[in-house]
Amino acid sequence: MANNRVKFSKDYAFVYYRFEKSRYTDARSGADRHFIGVLEAGHCRIVTRDQVLELSPGDSFYIPLGLSYQSYWDGAIIAFRSYGFLPFPDGAANRYRLQALPPGFTPKFQAVATQKTPDTAALGAFYTVLAEALPYMQTQPEDPAVELLEMARAYLYRHPHCRMAALAKHCAVSQSALYHAFSRNGLPTPNALRQQVQVERAVTLLTTTDLPVGQISDRLGFSSPSYFRKIFKAHTGRSPLQLRSQARIP
């Protein structure tokens, strides 16, 4: 039983949300984790460049890591369970697209405890249900550019201070090939992606902790809090404190 109390906070966030007003989420910078969601009350519309997913109470759904999207939440009461995770069980996370899951999996995911820092028991239950769901999930055509971007994003999320040589080695390409692949497919440079990932991590820390802005800046490897604020505002249009204030859920 002692092992069940071990916490895993870096790669996971299992959270239950409830609020009493319409809500808009701007995730066009890309989802910082994979997410399984279970909508229990209200309605949700998730919009990407080429897809609109409408969700009603009782629906469970999957949002892939790195997906650029906007979500619109409506209802007198909105309640949903959010299971955010980075490690993917089959090593091919980029295969799966934004989608609603078969209804039979909704009660199974609902049974998983929602803890911001899940323990081994919660993770075991979650991955058991996810493994059952994978054969029923819709895949998308393989795209080497997307695969490279997701591989780079996941590595930078874990190692935001890494050098480009280490990133290229992890992606099994040369540094010049890494830059060329990004440029050829209209993607941000690896360094710009690093900043984007740092901002995504900053958003998570700002909305789930009370850490001071200066401490968040140091943790993410920025040279100074003022430079962190500058980069953060360039990516989000808001200061760190403005985002923290606006993201508070009643």
Side-chain angles (χ1 to χ4, degrees):
M1 293 297 294
N3 287 340
N4 285 348
R5 293 195 293 270
V6 175
K7 301 293 186 179
F8 296 83
S9 60
K10 181 178 180 181
D11 294 341
Y12 302 94
F14 292 3
V15 185
Y16 179 78
Y17 292 104
R18 186 182 186 279
F19 42 97
E20 298 179 355
K21 59 182 179 180
S22 297
R23 186 175 180 84
Y24 163 71
T25 302
D26 186 350
R28 284 176 290 185
S29 61
D32 62 356
R33 295 178 175 92
H34 303 279
F35 288 95
I36 293 290
V38 179
L39 185 59
E40 297 185 344
H43 294 81
C44 177
R45 180 163 54 96
I46 300 176
V47 181
T48 71
R49 185 176 61 181
D50 55 7
Q51 188 178 358
V52 176
L53 181 63
E54 300 278 357
L55 299 163
S56 299
D59 287 340
S60 55
F61 56 96
Y62 166 70
I63 297 175
L65 170 70
L67 180 70
S68 174
Y69 70 94
Q70 300 172 80
S71 61
Y72 303 83
W73 307 78
D74 296 292
I77 295 176
I78 301 167
F80 66 97
R81 297 175 183 272
S82 173
Y83 301 94
F85 59 104
L86 278 176
F88 208 89
D90 67 355
N94 62 301
R95 290 176 48 202
Y96 302 97
R97 58 179 298 172
L98 171 69
Q99 60 191 279
L101 302 177
F105 290 104
T106 293
K108 295 182 179 182
F109 280 117
Q110 284 177 310
V112 178
T114 47
Q115 306 162 294
K116 285 189 177 180
T117 53
D119 57 23
T120 49
L123 288 180
F126 173 77
Y127 277 113
T128 296
V129 181
L130 182 60
E132 293 179 18
L134 287 180
Y136 300 93
M137 290 173 59
Q138 302 170 11
T139 59
Q140 55 191 352
E142 293 186 11
D143 184 337
V146 173
E147 183 178 1
L148 181 63
L149 176 64
E150 301 306 340
M151 188 182 301
R153 180 189 293 276
Y155 188 78
L156 286 171
Y157 193 89
R158 292 182 174 85
H159 308 282
H161 311 134
C162 77
R163 296 180 178 275
M164 288 301 105
L167 178 61
K169 181 178 180 180
H170 175 75
C171 295
V173 295
S174 67
Q175 290 188 64
S176 60
L178 182 67
Y179 278 89
H180 181 65
F182 274 58
S183 175
R184 185 180 68 247
N185 291 280
L187 303 174
T189 65
N191 192 55
L193 180 61
R194 179 211 303 277
Q195 288 185 352
Q196 180 177 312
V197 169
Q198 287 175 311
V199 168
E200 291 170 357
R201 292 189 64 186
V203 168
T204 299
L205 291 171
L206 286 165
T207 56
T208 62
T209 76
D210 293 318
L211 290 174
V213 170
Q215 192 170 339
I216 292 175
S217 171
D218 290 342
R219 179 176 293 192
L220 297 179
F222 285 93
S223 57
S224 68
S226 60
Y227 181 62
F228 165 62
R229 292 187 183 94
K230 177 181 177 180
I231 296 300
F232 189 90
K233 190 166 187 178
H235 280 264
T236 68
R238 290 167 286 182
S239 72
L241 292 182
Q242 285 175 328
L243 183 136
R244 170 173 274 170
S245 176
Q246 294 168 3
R248 296 296 188 192
I249 297 177

